[in-house]
């Protein structure tokens, strides 16, 4: 995951830095260079001198203290023994000798040790030599005057000085060397004068030892400078490699010790964690990751996992940890492996981290997009199927039962078709929110698409639970909806399947629930149907029926029946409505509602209608009376490109007077492409054919349609007629207003499905022009229609 820039042994990002490091990688500054005798490359010499004086100046307080102590020591030792003036001169000179080094010390500090000239090394050496001489003074001038004890005391003090200078001033070997040589030489001299050759040799040896030690330290110091430089350089390189200078990098290195505390926290890590590196140093990694949750103890599972890995001293890779950085949620992906020393002892962990927040958020967004329906915000088909898959898995593992409910809205198509998709969408949103409320935490609901929804009930105990939820859903969804000033009524049909009985896979359960739902719809909607095995048989029948329907025309299984339409005032026969019938050897007489639905689903309707149109027109052309013929025109047929030429040919071929023909359309034709529908209808009207608006009162914008094209007839739906006859006052009022309006526009009205005398009376009273229904006659076979004519002819002959 972590991608480091390729490193080919050189740091390629900064050529200047590259040049520097090659020079610096050159050898350790020699002793001569440290003494200011041999030149160093300009850039380096400044740094080396700076480092030398830093080391020296660290001793400044000690140096002053030692100086003052020495003066006090000499004064005490020789007070009264040496002439006062000598002591005074010496003390003043000694004190004064501290002043120049102090001044240059402050100057160096002010310059921050930058740009120090090599000459300063010499000045410093001369200063030290002078101080050495000052110290040599008492030894050469005063010691001979004192006792052995005094010589011994002086020597003790001198050894301290020698050792201190050898150690403290090794960074400036010239200064240290001069001081040691001067003071050492004076000491030897003092011993000789005191008359002890052995002591003189010992003192000489000691001074030489100090000198050598100091030089050794100096060389060590030179090497140290180079190592420091190289280390700093390496750190720079590593930091470049880690992209610490690139604030957009999202990966970092981290390490923890055996106590799981962070060590060597990088700048990069600190930046991503939103704190100072120092503040992270030594903090417990797990505590950092857990954030405020650490206190409550409710930490994320992944942290438990990581802790377990730490405990087992195992490595881990790509664990995604949610963390809180400055109050916002971030996602870090951590990988690490245990760290061992050469001996195999455990040192802690070293790992990498990558901030995955952006990826994670994008993923979340995609996940949401892919799994939720944008209109209703409910889980979509994919999400439902996945959830069902999990439920199936749980059923298998724990021997539980789950139910899958499919919900289809009744009459939704009418809303969508008559009021448009915009209203349809609003309605679906309301349906979704009611469904969500009804299911609550009991079940998982979603939208499969269109007006189809589904509910998953995982782990159910008895069938009553399903029945309870299903009827709650039907009740709730069947309450009226208010959408943009329309009050809408839609119902719901529910089909349910219970696993594992009705299916052991998600697909099987969906199919079973779908079949049950189809059945609920067939039963008239507004109800729940639980899957039973026979539904599969029925589905199979439907499939077979579709196959049979495809060849029904060729096999002569279809026929047209004619239902009489009567003039409401005279009671005379006005015409017939052609209705399609299908008799199949295997299925027998199939109800039109059934086979027409199959035909629609199988896109066979237009072909069937064309056959009805032709057959009925040919028949009507032979009728002895100029009666009207009403034929149902499906939307599919209206959109058929050669409908108009076909009608023309038909009228010409049969010689049927176009004014006798009336084509019935449903208002839903206006929704797909309203203006195109109007154009088509006008073309039909231009042929002289009448138009009827069928099933008036079942849609939602019926009156709107009337303004769009010139209808000859409005057919008032049976539900309206029955409602009015049943005494529903508002139905009667609407019926009356509607008929009054139609009459004033010169439009005829046909009341459909008139079944009783009472209904006949009612529709007559409100002024319907024509009547149709079982009370006046069911649809008749063509032979019966013909017989009717001959009987009628015989009767009129007889009269
Ligand atoms: P529709 O156009 O409204 O036709 C009238 C339906 O009402 C017919 O049902 C008829 O038998 C029934 N009906 C007539 N009088 C009464 C009554 O007093 N009480 C009751 N309860 N029903 C009555 P059918 O033949 O079953 O047709 C149902 C629907 O199928 C028709 O409704 C029409 O929409 C469609 N349909 C029938 N034949 C054709 C066809 O050839 N082409 C097309 N596209 N649709 C057709
Ligand atoms: Ca009709
Ligand atoms: Ca009708």
């Amino acid at each position: 995951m972590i991608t480091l820039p390729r490193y080919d042994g050189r740091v390629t990002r900064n050529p200047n830095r590259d040049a520097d490091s090659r020079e610096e990688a050159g050898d350790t500054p020699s002793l001569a260079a440290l003494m200011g005798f041999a030149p160093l490359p300009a850039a380096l010499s400044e740094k080396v001198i700076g480092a030398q004086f830093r080391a020296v100046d660290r001793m400044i307080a000690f140096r002053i203290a030692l100086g003052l102590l020495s003066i006090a020591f000499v004064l005490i030792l020789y007070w009264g023994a040496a002439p006062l003036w000598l002591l005074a001169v010496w003390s003043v000179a000694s004190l004064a000798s501290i002043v120049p080094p102090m001044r240059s010390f402050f100057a160096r500090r002010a310059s921050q040790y930058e740009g120090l000239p090599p000459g300063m090394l010499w000045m410093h050496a001369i200063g030290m030599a002078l101080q050495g001489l000052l110290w040599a003074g008492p030894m050469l001038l005063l010691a001979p005057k004192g006792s052995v004890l005094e010589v011994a005391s002086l020597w003790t003090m001198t050894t301290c000085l020698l050792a201190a200078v050898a150690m403290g001033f090794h960074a400036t070997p010239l200064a240290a060397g001069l001081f040691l040589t001067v003071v050492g030489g004076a000491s030897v001299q003092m011993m000789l004068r005191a008359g002890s050759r052995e002591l003189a040799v010992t003192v000489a040896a000691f001074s030489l030892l100090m000198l050598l030690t100091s030089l050794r330290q100096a060389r060590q110091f030179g090497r140290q400078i180079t190592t420091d430089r190289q280390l700093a350089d390496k750190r720079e390189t590593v930091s470049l490699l880690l992209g610490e200078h690139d604030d957009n990098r999202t990966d970092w290195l981290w390490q923890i010790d055996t106590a799981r505390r962070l060590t060597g926290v990088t700048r990069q890590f600190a930046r991503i964690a939103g704190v100072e590196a120092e503040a992270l140093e030594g903090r417990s990694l797990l505590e950092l990751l857990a954030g405020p949750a650490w206190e409550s103890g409710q930490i994320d599972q992944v942290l438990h996992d990581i802790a377990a890995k730490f405990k087992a001293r195992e490595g881990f890779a790509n664990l995604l940890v949610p963390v809180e950085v400055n109050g916002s949620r971030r996602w870090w992906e951590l990988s690490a492996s245990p760290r061992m020393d050469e001996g195999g002892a455990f040192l802690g962990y070293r790992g990498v981290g990558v901030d995955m927040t952006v990826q994670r958020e994008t993923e979340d967004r995609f996940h949401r997009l892919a799994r939720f329906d944008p209109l209703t915000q409910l889980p979509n088909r994919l999400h439902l199927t996945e959830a069902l898959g999990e439920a199936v898995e749980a059923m298998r593992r724990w021997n539980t039962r789950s139910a899958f409910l499919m919900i289809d809205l009744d009459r939704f198509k009418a809303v969508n078709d008559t009021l448009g998709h915009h209203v349809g969408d609003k309605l679906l949103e309301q349906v979704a929110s009611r469904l969500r409320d009804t299911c609550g935490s009991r079940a998982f609901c979603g939208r499969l698409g269109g007006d189809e929804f589904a509910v998953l009930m995982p782990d159910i105990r008895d069938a009553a639970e399903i029945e309870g939820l299903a009827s709650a859903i039907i009740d709730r969804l069947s309450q009226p909806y208010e959408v943009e000033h329309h009050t809408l009524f839609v119902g719901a049909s529910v089909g349910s399947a219970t696993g594992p009985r009705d299916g052991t896979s998600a697909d099987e359960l969906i199919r079973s629930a779908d079949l049950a739902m189809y059945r609920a719809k067939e039963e008239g909607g507004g109800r729940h149907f639980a899957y039973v095995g026979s539904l599969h048989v029925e589905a199979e029948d439907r499939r077979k029926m579709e196959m049979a329907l495809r060849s029904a025309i060729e096999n002569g299984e279809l026929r047209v029946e004619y239902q009489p339409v009567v003039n409401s005032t005279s009671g005379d026969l006005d015409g017939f409505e052609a209705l399609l019938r299908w008799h199949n050897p295997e299925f027998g007489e199939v109800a039109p509602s059934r086979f027409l639905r199959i035909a629609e689903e199988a896109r066979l309707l237009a072909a069937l209608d064309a056959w009805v149109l032709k057959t009925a027109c040919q028949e009507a052309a032979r009728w002895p009376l100029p009666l009207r013929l009403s034929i149902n025109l499906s939307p599919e047929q209206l959109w058929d490109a050669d409908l108009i030429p076909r009608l023309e040919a038909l009228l010409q071929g049969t010689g049927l007077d176009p004014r006798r023909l009336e084509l019935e359309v449903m208002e839903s034709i206006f929704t797909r492409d309203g203006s195109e529908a109007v154009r088509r209808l006008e073309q039909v009207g231009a042929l002289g054919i009448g138009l009827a608006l069928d099933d008036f009162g079942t849609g939602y914008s019926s009156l709107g349609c009337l303004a769009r094209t010139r209808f000859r007839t409005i057919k008032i739906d049976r539900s309206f007629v029955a409602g009015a006859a049943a005494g529903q006052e508002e139905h009667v009022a609407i019926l009356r207003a509607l008929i009054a309006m139609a009459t004033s526009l010169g439009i005829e009205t046909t009341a459909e499905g008139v079944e009783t005398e009472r209904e006949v009376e009612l529709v007559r009273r409100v002024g319907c022009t024509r009547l149709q229904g079982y009370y006046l006659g069911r649809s008749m076979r063509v032979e019966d229609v013909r017989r009717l004519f001959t009987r009628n002819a015989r009767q009129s002959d007889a009269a």
Side-chain angles (χ1 to χ4, degrees), residues 675-690:
S675 48
E676 175 62 13
V678 169
R679 206 174 63 81
R680 288 278 167 131
L681 291 177
E682 274 168 2
Q683 286 175 340
V684 173
L687 297 175
I689 298 170

Side-chain angles (χ1 to χ4, degrees), residues 458-701:
D459 194 15
I460 45 153
R461 263 156 212 96
D462 63 293
E465 278 179 59
I466 308 172
E467 187 55 53
L469 185 62
S471 53
I473 289 172
I474 294 170
D475 276 359
R476 188 83 182 88
L477 297 193
S478 305
Q479 306 294 317
Y481 297 81
E482 291 296 329
V483 181
E484 303 199 332
H485 315 302
H486 300 279
T487 304
L488 306 176
F489 295 84
V490 292
S493 302
V494 180
S496 66
T498 308
R501 191 194 61 201
D502 304 337
T504 50
S505 71
D507 282 350
E508 274 175 25
L509 281 170
I510 291 174
R511 177 152 169 76
S512 298
D514 192 26
L515 289 175
M517 197 263 291
Y518 193 92
R519 179 57 186 273
K521 273 219 136 25
E522 265 188 339
E523 299 278 317
R527 50 174 294 177
H528 164 228
F529 209 92
Y531 175 81
V532 282
S534 62
L535 289 181
H536 251 109
V537 181
E538 281 177 35
E540 183 53 21
D541 279 357
R542 236 178 353 253
R543 202 187 56 78
K544 282 197 201 140
M545 209 173 262
E546 185 188 314
M547 297 296 290
L549 199 54
R550 285 183 192 280
S551 45
I553 298 180
E554 297 133 59
N555 295 348
E557 293 169 13
L558 297 174
R559 65 177 193 278
V560 180
E561 288 200 353
Y562 301 87
Q563 186 177 29
V565 180
V566 173
N567 184 303
S568 75
T569 30
S570 65
D572 289 346
L573 181 67
D574 227 21
F576 291 96
E577 176 174 358
L579 296 166
L580 182 60
R581 299 290 178 256
W582 180 33
H583 181 93
N584 175 271
E586 187 183 344
F587 305 110
E589 194 71 27
V590 187
S593 57
R594 180 134 201 237
F595 74 79
L596 285 173
R597 178 134 132 211
I598 294 173
E600 191 182 350
E601 283 165 5
R603 310 210 149 275
L604 293 169
L605 202 51
L608 295 183
D609 271 0
W611 182 82
V612 173
L613 191 65
K614 195 170 138 209
T615 315
C617 283
Q618 283 169 347
E619 181 62 25
R622 274 186 248 130
W623 289 341
L625 296 169
L627 296 175
R628 249 189 227 181
L629 171 67
S630 300
I631 298 178
N632 294 291
L633 191 70
S634 64
E636 285 95 299
Q637 221 192 348
L638 184 68
W639 299 115
D640 187 354
D642 44 62
L643 173 69
I644 303 299
R646 228 163 5 96
L647 281 173
E648 278 175 329
L650 200 58
L651 290 174
Q652 223 162 33
T654 57
L656 184 72
D657 181 350
R659 281 169 302 176
R660 286 178 56 201
L661 185 59
E662 192 165 89
L663 295 182
E664 300 186 358
V665 293
M666 282 184 288
E667 51 194 299
S668 59
I669 53 160
F670 292 109
T671 48
R672 202 165 92 183
D673 182 351
S675 48
E676 175 62 13
V678 169
R679 206 174 63 81
R680 288 278 167 131
L681 291 177
E682 274 168 2
Q683 286 175 340
V684 173
L687 297 175
I689 298 170
L691 293 172
L693 183 62
D694 205 356
D695 296 348
F696 186 89
T698 53
Y700 285 94
S701 64

Side-chain angles (χ1 to χ4, degrees), residues 111-132:
S111 75
Q112 299 215 318
Y113 296 90
E114 272 171 25
L116 302 183
M120 192 173 253
L121 281 173
W122 295 1
M123 296 303 295
H124 171 62
I126 292 168
M128 287 290 283
L130 283 176
Q131 280 193 302

